[in-house]
Amino acid sequence: MSDPLPEETVDVVVIGGGAAGLNGALMLARSRRSVVVIDSGTPRNAPAKAMHGFLVLDGMAPDELLRRGREQVRGYGGLVVSGEVVAVELGADGDLRFGVTLADGRRLTARRVLVATGLRDVLPDVPGLARHWGGSVVHCPYCHGWEVRDEPIGVLATGPASVHHALLFRQLTEDLVYFTGTTDLDAATRARFAARGIRVVDTPVTEVVDDGTGALSGVRLADGQFVARRVLAVASRLEARTQGLAELGLPLEELPDGMGRRYASGAAGVTDVPGVWVAGNATDLTAQVGAAAAAGALAGAHINALLALADTDAALAAHT
């Protein structure tokens, strides 16, 4: 279901229909703001069967959370429109109006913008890895750890953060193998791993191998050796989704150790671009669903507060 795009200028356009975007829209709609959510329908957690670590909603399917969220936003008069943003332009002569263009040519004008586009995971280029992403290939011990407890787990190292990744997954299983890949592992870290019973394999992984049913069964090494594993943990590179937003000029920030790239923001999602806020994984790359939703709510409330001031200033000017 997709709502029609309004012809009149709306208070806020929310770009992104995930937890952050929908919760921001919910706060705005409950404040009687006209708000439109543009939802591309490509949530990061789509491959996952359930989300975890969110009080009361633990175990809920991601698509069910979003379905309920869209329903609640619409219940307060907000609109949810299916579409892909290809351009966002600031009005001429400094007018704080934003023109939003969708891939099918439709256009919308809004007074303020909340960017909640989320992020994309960039995986190591290992054949067979991507098809298990969100299933037997996991990234977050808090999102998926309980479900893979006591399984034979392999950590595919991608950088310095993988060392801590391994220690977190060691909490969940006694059978853990650390594949160093192209990363360096110093003697002190090797000693720490040995103390925790973590086996280190330095031979590069060349392939993720399935069993006869299509389930992950292990990895093949460059020397031909097969190492049986039921689960692989990968610290993917995290990159904010930026498509269609270049003309806004939002500053991007590279995080240390190749962890990823995010939109820079301050308190409540404020950015250096007047009239534009950002919330959720687009700016907080490690936020789980609950944290992303909370950030969206905070940004939505802040947008409403500043719109209230702008409305009052305009009313005063009209009477003088």
Side-chain angles (χ1 to χ4, degrees):
M1 174 183 176
S2 178
D3 295 317
L5 204 63
E7 296 182 2
E8 67 276 8
T9 298
V10 299
D11 288 324
V12 184
V13 61
V14 179
I15 304 175
L22 288 172
N23 218 27
L26 183 66
M27 295 294 281
L28 289 159
R30 282 179 51 83
S31 296
R32 306 190 75 176
R33 292 292 176 188
S34 55
V35 57
V36 175
V37 178
I38 307 297
D39 183 9
S40 67
T42 56
R44 177 196 184 196
N45 60 1
K49 294 180 180 179
M51 60 173 195
H52 296 283
F54 195 165
L55 190 65
V56 179
L57 301 181
D58 184 84
M60 178 180 285
D63 59 351
E64 175 62 12
L65 174 76
L66 299 182
R67 185 194 68 77
R68 293 191 191 184
R70 291 189 292 267
E71 184 179 83
Q72 289 179 348
V73 168
R74 287 176 171 131
Y76 292 104
L79 301 177
V80 182
V81 176
S82 298
E84 185 175 331
V85 172
V86 295
V88 183
E89 302 170 340
L90 180 61
D93 301 322
D95 179 28
L96 205 55
R97 295 286 189 277
F98 297 87
V100 180
T101 304
L102 305 188
D104 59 9
R106 290 178 295 168
R107 287 182 58 83
L108 172 72
T109 302
R111 299 171 64 194
R112 303 292 185 269
V113 176
L114 173 56
V115 173
T117 49
L119 62 80
R120 67 186 186 96
D121 294 277
V122 181
L123 298 175
D125 187 17
V126 177
L129 183 69
R131 68 170 168 268
H132 292 287
W133 179 245
S136 298
V137 175
V138 301
H139 70 289
C140 173
Y142 303 106
C143 305
H144 314 290
W146 177 263
E147 286 65 41
V148 301
R149 67 195 186 282
D150 298 327
E151 293 282 4
I153 299 176
V155 174
L156 299 187
T158 57
S162 294
V163 171
H164 186 59
H165 213 213
L167 297 178
L168 294 178
F169 276 97
R170 175 60 181 84
Q171 173 65 20
L172 300 163
T173 184
E174 295 183 356
D175 187 354
L176 189 68
V177 176
Y178 187 88
F179 299 94
T180 59
T182 60
T183 67
D184 295 322
L185 199 63
D186 59 33
T189 302
R190 289 175 185 269
R192 291 171 66 81
F193 277 5
R196 294 301 310 275
I198 300 172
R199 184 159 67 99
V200 175
V201 173
D202 292 313
T203 307
V205 172
T206 58
E207 180 188 10
V208 174
V209 181
D210 297 351
D211 64 15
T213 68
L216 192 153
S217 62
V219 298
R220 185 81 59 194
L221 305 182
D223 61 5
Q225 180 185 357
F226 173 77
V227 180
R229 297 288 91 185
R230 299 301 295 177
V231 175
L232 294 176
V234 182
S236 58
R237 176 175 167 82
L238 311 174
E239 295 189 350
R241 292 179 176 177
T242 62
Q243 183 174 345
L245 304 176
E247 293 178 65
L248 283 177
L250 287 170
L252 286 160
E253 183 175 69
E254 191 75 22
L255 297 187
D257 297 326
M259 177 181 173
R261 186 177 61 171
R262 71 176 191 117
Y263 280 119
S265 68
V270 172
T271 73
D272 290 344
V273 180
V276 181
W277 283 253
V278 62
N281 283 145
T283 185
D284 184 353
L285 299 178
T286 61
Q288 291 180 265
V289 176
L298 186 60
H302 195 249
I303 294 170
N304 178 60
L306 294 194
L307 280 173
L309 293 176
D311 292 342
T312 303
D313 290 342
L316 179 61
H319 283 80
T320 57

Short mmCIF file of all heavy atoms in Angstrom, two decimals, residues 225-259:
data_model
loop_
_atom_site.label_atom_id
_atom_site.label_comp_id
_atom_site.label_asym_id
_atom_site.label_seq_id
_atom_site.Cartn_x
_atom_site.Cartn_y
_atom_site.Cartn_z
N GLN A 225 42.37 -26.91 2.45
CA GLN A 225 41.82 -27.47 3.69
C GLN A 225 40.39 -26.97 3.90
O GLN A 225 40.07 -25.82 3.60
CB GLN A 225 42.70 -27.08 4.87
CG GLN A 225 42.21 -27.60 6.22
CD GLN A 225 43.04 -27.08 7.38
OE1 GLN A 225 44.03 -26.36 7.17
NE2 GLN A 225 42.65 -27.41 8.60
N PHE A 226 39.54 -27.84 4.45
CA PHE A 226 38.17 -27.48 4.79
C PHE A 226 38.06 -27.38 6.31
O PHE A 226 38.50 -28.27 7.03
CB PHE A 226 37.19 -28.54 4.27
CG PHE A 226 35.77 -28.33 4.72
CD1 PHE A 226 34.96 -27.36 4.14
CD2 PHE A 226 35.24 -29.10 5.75
CE1 PHE A 226 33.65 -27.17 4.56
CE2 PHE A 226 33.93 -28.92 6.18
CZ PHE A 226 33.14 -27.95 5.58
N VAL A 227 37.46 -26.26 6.79
CA VAL A 227 37.23 -26.07 8.22
C VAL A 227 35.73 -26.01 8.44
O VAL A 227 35.05 -25.10 7.95
CB VAL A 227 37.90 -24.78 8.74
CG1 VAL A 227 37.65 -24.64 10.24
CG2 VAL A 227 39.39 -24.78 8.44
N ALA A 228 35.21 -26.99 9.17
CA ALA A 228 33.76 -27.06 9.41
C ALA A 228 33.32 -25.95 10.35
O ALA A 228 33.91 -25.77 11.42
CB ALA A 228 33.40 -28.42 9.98
N ARG A 229 32.30 -25.21 9.96
CA ARG A 229 31.67 -24.17 10.79
C ARG A 229 30.19 -24.14 10.43
O ARG A 229 29.81 -24.33 9.27
CB ARG A 229 32.25 -22.78 10.52
CG ARG A 229 33.72 -22.55 10.82
CD ARG A 229 34.02 -22.49 12.31
NE ARG A 229 34.36 -23.82 12.82
CZ ARG A 229 34.57 -24.10 14.11
NH1 ARG A 229 34.47 -23.15 15.01
NH2 ARG A 229 34.86 -25.32 14.47
N ARG A 230 29.35 -23.87 11.41
CA ARG A 230 27.92 -23.72 11.14
C ARG A 230 27.50 -22.25 11.04
O ARG A 230 26.47 -21.92 10.47
CB ARG A 230 27.10 -24.39 12.25
CG ARG A 230 27.34 -25.87 12.41
CD ARG A 230 27.03 -26.64 11.15
NE ARG A 230 25.60 -26.57 10.81
CZ ARG A 230 25.07 -27.12 9.71
NH1 ARG A 230 25.85 -27.71 8.83
NH2 ARG A 230 23.78 -27.02 9.50
N VAL A 231 28.34 -21.37 11.61
CA VAL A 231 28.04 -19.93 11.63
C VAL A 231 29.33 -19.17 11.37
O VAL A 231 30.40 -19.56 11.84
CB VAL A 231 27.45 -19.51 13.00
CG1 VAL A 231 27.25 -17.99 13.06
CG2 VAL A 231 26.15 -20.24 13.28
N LEU A 232 29.21 -18.08 10.61
CA LEU A 232 30.34 -17.17 10.41
C LEU A 232 29.93 -15.78 10.90
O LEU A 232 28.83 -15.31 10.62
CB LEU A 232 30.72 -17.10 8.94
CG LEU A 232 31.27 -18.39 8.33
CD1 LEU A 232 31.51 -18.20 6.84
CD2 LEU A 232 32.56 -18.83 9.03
N ALA A 233 30.84 -15.15 11.63
CA ALA A 233 30.61 -13.79 12.12
C ALA A 233 31.55 -12.85 11.38
O ALA A 233 32.75 -13.10 11.29
CB ALA A 233 30.86 -13.71 13.62
N VAL A 234 30.98 -11.78 10.84
CA VAL A 234 31.75 -10.84 10.02
C VAL A 234 31.44 -9.42 10.45
O VAL A 234 30.26 -9.03 10.50
CB VAL A 234 31.41 -10.99 8.52
CG1 VAL A 234 32.26 -10.03 7.68
CG2 VAL A 234 31.60 -12.42 8.05
N ALA A 235 32.46 -8.65 10.76
CA ALA A 235 32.28 -7.22 11.03
C ALA A 235 32.30 -6.50 9.69
O ALA A 235 33.35 -6.14 9.17
CB ALA A 235 33.38 -6.70 11.94
N SER A 236 31.13 -6.33 9.10
CA SER A 236 31.04 -5.70 7.79
C SER A 236 31.41 -4.22 7.87
O SER A 236 31.32 -3.60 8.93
CB SER A 236 29.61 -5.84 7.25
OG SER A 236 28.69 -5.26 8.15
N ARG A 237 31.81 -3.66 6.74
CA ARG A 237 31.99 -2.21 6.68
C ARG A 237 30.60 -1.59 6.57
O ARG A 237 29.75 -2.04 5.79
CB ARG A 237 32.85 -1.82 5.48
CG ARG A 237 32.99 -0.31 5.31
CD ARG A 237 33.95 0.08 4.20
NE ARG A 237 33.82 1.50 3.87
CZ ARG A 237 34.40 2.48 4.53
NH1 ARG A 237 35.17 2.20 5.57
NH2 ARG A 237 34.22 3.74 4.18
N LEU A 238 30.36 -0.53 7.35
CA LEU A 238 29.04 0.08 7.45
C LEU A 238 29.05 1.44 6.75
O LEU A 238 29.81 2.33 7.13
CB LEU A 238 28.66 0.25 8.92
CG LEU A 238 28.84 -0.99 9.81
CD1 LEU A 238 28.58 -0.64 11.27
CD2 LEU A 238 27.94 -2.12 9.35
N GLU A 239 28.21 1.59 5.74
CA GLU A 239 28.19 2.83 4.97
C GLU A 239 26.79 3.41 4.92
O GLU A 239 25.84 2.73 4.49
CB GLU A 239 28.71 2.59 3.55
CG GLU A 239 30.17 2.19 3.50
CD GLU A 239 30.71 2.18 2.09
OE1 GLU A 239 29.91 2.29 1.13
OE2 GLU A 239 31.95 2.05 1.94
N ALA A 240 26.65 4.66 5.36
CA ALA A 240 25.36 5.34 5.29
C ALA A 240 24.87 5.36 3.85
O ALA A 240 25.64 5.58 2.91
CB ALA A 240 25.49 6.76 5.82
N ARG A 241 23.58 5.14 3.68
CA ARG A 241 22.99 5.23 2.34
C ARG A 241 22.83 6.70 1.96
O ARG A 241 22.18 7.47 2.66
CB ARG A 241 21.63 4.53 2.33
CG ARG A 241 21.72 3.02 2.51
CD ARG A 241 20.34 2.40 2.52
NE ARG A 241 20.40 0.95 2.60
CZ ARG A 241 19.34 0.15 2.67
NH1 ARG A 241 18.13 0.70 2.69
NH2 ARG A 241 19.47 -1.14 2.73
N THR A 242 23.40 7.06 0.83
CA THR A 242 23.47 8.47 0.44
C THR A 242 22.76 8.76 -0.87
O THR A 242 22.75 9.92 -1.30
CB THR A 242 24.94 8.90 0.30
OG1 THR A 242 25.56 8.11 -0.74
CG2 THR A 242 25.70 8.68 1.60
N GLN A 243 22.19 7.76 -1.50
CA GLN A 243 21.62 7.95 -2.83
C GLN A 243 20.56 9.06 -2.85
O GLN A 243 19.66 9.09 -2.02
CB GLN A 243 20.99 6.65 -3.33
CG GLN A 243 20.43 6.75 -4.74
CD GLN A 243 19.94 5.42 -5.26
OE1 GLN A 243 20.24 4.37 -4.70
NE2 GLN A 243 19.16 5.44 -6.33
N GLY A 244 20.71 9.98 -3.80
CA GLY A 244 19.74 11.04 -3.99
C GLY A 244 19.93 12.24 -3.09
O GLY A 244 19.16 13.21 -3.19
N LEU A 245 20.93 12.22 -2.21
CA LEU A 245 21.08 13.28 -1.21
C LEU A 245 22.28 14.18 -1.44
O LEU A 245 22.53 15.09 -0.65
CB LEU A 245 21.17 12.66 0.19
CG LEU A 245 20.01 11.75 0.59
CD1 LEU A 245 20.29 11.13 1.96
CD2 LEU A 245 18.70 12.52 0.61
N ALA A 246 23.01 13.98 -2.53
CA ALA A 246 24.26 14.70 -2.74
C ALA A 246 24.06 16.21 -2.75
O ALA A 246 24.91 16.97 -2.24
CB ALA A 246 24.90 14.24 -4.05
N GLU A 247 22.97 16.70 -3.35
CA GLU A 247 22.77 18.14 -3.49
C GLU A 247 22.52 18.84 -2.15
O GLU A 247 22.64 20.06 -2.06
CB GLU A 247 21.62 18.42 -4.45
CG GLU A 247 21.93 18.01 -5.88
CD GLU A 247 20.77 18.25 -6.82
OE1 GLU A 247 20.41 19.42 -7.03
OE2 GLU A 247 20.22 17.26 -7.34
N LEU A 248 22.19 18.08 -1.11
CA LEU A 248 22.02 18.69 0.20
C LEU A 248 23.36 19.12 0.80
O LEU A 248 23.41 20.02 1.65
CB LEU A 248 21.34 17.71 1.16
CG LEU A 248 19.83 17.52 0.99
CD1 LEU A 248 19.34 16.45 1.97
CD2 LEU A 248 19.08 18.83 1.22
N GLY A 249 24.43 18.46 0.40
CA GLY A 249 25.74 18.81 0.94
C GLY A 249 25.95 18.39 2.37
O GLY A 249 26.74 19.01 3.10
N LEU A 250 25.28 17.36 2.81
CA LEU A 250 25.46 16.87 4.18
C LEU A 250 26.88 16.33 4.36
O LEU A 250 27.34 15.52 3.56
CB LEU A 250 24.46 15.77 4.49
CG LEU A 250 23.00 16.17 4.69
CD1 LEU A 250 22.12 14.93 4.75
CD2 LEU A 250 22.84 16.99 5.96
N PRO A 251 27.57 16.75 5.41
CA PRO A 251 28.94 16.26 5.62
C PRO A 251 28.95 14.78 6.03
O PRO A 251 28.16 14.35 6.86
CB PRO A 251 29.47 17.14 6.75
CG PRO A 251 28.26 17.66 7.45
CD PRO A 251 27.18 17.76 6.41
N LEU A 252 29.88 14.05 5.42
CA LEU A 252 30.08 12.64 5.76
C LEU A 252 31.36 12.50 6.58
O LEU A 252 32.30 13.29 6.42
CB LEU A 252 30.17 11.79 4.49
CG LEU A 252 28.86 11.54 3.77
CD1 LEU A 252 29.12 11.12 2.32
CD2 LEU A 252 28.05 10.47 4.49
N GLU A 253 31.39 11.51 7.42
CA GLU A 253 32.51 11.33 8.35
C GLU A 253 32.99 9.88 8.27
O GLU A 253 32.19 8.95 8.41
CB GLU A 253 32.03 11.66 9.76
CG GLU A 253 33.07 11.59 10.83
CD GLU A 253 32.51 12.04 12.16
OE1 GLU A 253 31.65 11.33 12.73
OE2 GLU A 253 32.92 13.11 12.63
N GLU A 254 34.28 9.72 8.03
CA GLU A 254 34.89 8.39 7.99
C GLU A 254 35.28 7.99 9.41
O GLU A 254 35.93 8.76 10.14
CB GLU A 254 36.12 8.39 7.10
CG GLU A 254 36.67 7.02 6.79
CD GLU A 254 35.85 6.24 5.77
OE1 GLU A 254 35.11 6.87 4.98
OE2 GLU A 254 35.96 5.00 5.77
N LEU A 255 34.86 6.79 9.84
CA LEU A 255 35.16 6.33 11.18
C LEU A 255 36.50 5.59 11.21
O LEU A 255 36.97 5.10 10.19
CB LEU A 255 34.04 5.44 11.69
CG LEU A 255 32.68 6.12 11.82
CD1 LEU A 255 31.68 5.20 12.50
CD2 LEU A 255 32.78 7.43 12.61
N PRO A 256 37.13 5.49 12.39
CA PRO A 256 38.46 4.88 12.47
C PRO A 256 38.46 3.40 12.09
O PRO A 256 37.43 2.72 12.12
CB PRO A 256 38.82 5.05 13.96
CG PRO A 256 37.92 6.12 14.48
CD PRO A 256 36.66 6.02 13.67
N ASP A 257 39.65 2.92 11.72
CA ASP A 257 39.90 1.50 11.46
C ASP A 257 39.04 0.94 10.33
O ASP A 257 38.75 -0.27 10.30
CB ASP A 257 39.68 0.67 12.73
CG ASP A 257 40.66 1.05 13.84
OD1 ASP A 257 41.81 1.39 13.51
OD2 ASP A 257 40.26 1.00 15.02
N GLY A 258 38.61 1.81 9.41
CA GLY A 258 37.83 1.32 8.28
C GLY A 258 36.46 0.82 8.64
O GLY A 258 35.83 0.09 7.87
N MET A 259 35.96 1.21 9.80
CA MET A 259 34.66 0.72 10.27
C MET A 259 33.53 1.12 9.34
O MET A 259 32.59 0.36 9.12
CB MET A 259 34.39 1.25 11.68
CG MET A 259 33.03 0.87 12.22
SD MET A 259 32.78 1.57 13.87
CE MET A 259 31.05 1.16 14.15
#
